[in-house]
Amino acid sequence: MSMIAVLGNGRVGGSLSAALTRAGHEVTVADRSPGAAADAARTAQVVINATPGAGSLERLLALQKELEGKILVDVSNATVDGPDGLPAGLLHPGSSLGEQLQEALPGTRVVKTLNTMLYTVMTAPGALAQAPTAFLSGEDPGAKQVVRGLLEDLGWHPEWVTDLGGIRTAQATEAAVLFVPHVIRSSGFAPFAVSIAR
């Protein structure tokens, strides 16, 4: 059992916190009330960033002290949204939110994952017709091992998880978000994920 803080109580944060609680973890969800994020992060072993990516860097920078020595699981994508609210571009071209977080929080072990799928797939990967892929990007092997365990608790089979390497590889997975508006416009708001077929 891990003590987990989920920052963000929208659809992503809500579904992750409910699934991890069902798996037996002690989960605290931080809403937007003053001090809630700091209180949650202070007592957690693992902190999950499920806040909107465009404001994540600023929010998490304010928690630098509380995040020191912690594992930060970043599932957000920093995008510039189009008129319909869907991603139209990347906020950090040539970089990624994951990289920006690791650079800004050198004492925190950042792991990027679960950002290449519709949020419903994060906690129900087996519901798709074919096996999806969850990617891991991060500098710390131990942190990635902990995150692998959390993914298994969410229903991800070990063979569905691919470690891409260091945090720079988050550039590739974050860029995959640019598929999202086109897939939604062509197929509707149905569960989907990026999958590596072998």
Side-chain angles (χ1 to χ4, degrees):
M1 184 192 80
S2 297
M3 295 181 67
I4 300 171
V6 177
L7 307 183
N9 61 347
R11 293 179 296 187
V12 174
S15 61
L16 285 172
S17 62
L20 289 167
T21 299
R22 286 194 301 271
H25 298 283
E26 187 175 326
V27 181
T28 302
V29 180
D31 57 23
R32 289 179 176 267
S33 61
D39 290 343
R42 190 177 296 114
T43 57
Q45 299 161 304
V46 177
V47 178
I48 297 176
N49 174 40
T51 65
S56 289
L57 187 57
E58 183 181 354
R59 286 191 187 98
L60 292 167
L61 262 175
L63 302 174
Q64 185 168 10
K65 181 180 175 184
E66 289 81 5
L67 291 171
E68 186 77 22
K70 306 291 175 70
I71 296 172
L72 176 62
V73 183
D74 178 33
V75 303
S76 296
N77 291 306
T79 59
V80 178
D81 291 340
D84 57 1
L86 294 173
L90 300 174
L91 195 60
H92 305 291
S95 182
S96 65
L97 176 58
E99 288 174 90
Q100 297 291 314
L101 288 170
Q102 186 61 85
E103 184 177 338
L105 303 166
T108 302
R109 296 175 288 166
V110 178
V111 179
K112 188 83 178 188
T113 193
L114 294 180
N115 62 311
T116 56
M117 61 201 69
L118 205 61
Y119 76 95
T120 54
V121 181
M122 295 178 178
T123 57
L128 297 182
Q130 65 188 64
T133 303
F135 301 100
L136 295 174
S137 299
E139 300 298 324
D140 189 283
K144 286 195 277 191
Q145 195 58 38
V146 170
V147 175
R148 276 184 181 275
L150 294 178
L151 291 177
E152 287 187 35
D153 289 343
L154 293 173
W156 290 86
H157 294 255
E159 63 271 20
W160 297 354
V161 181
T162 297
D163 187 342
L164 295 179
I167 196 64
R168 277 189 63 81
T169 63
Q171 285 185 37
T173 61
E174 288 193 29
V177 75
L178 298 180
F179 275 108
V180 170
H182 307 298
V183 172
I184 289 175
R185 290 182 192 116
S186 67
S187 307
F189 200 77
F192 69 90
V194 172
S195 177
I196 303 298
R198 293 188 173 92

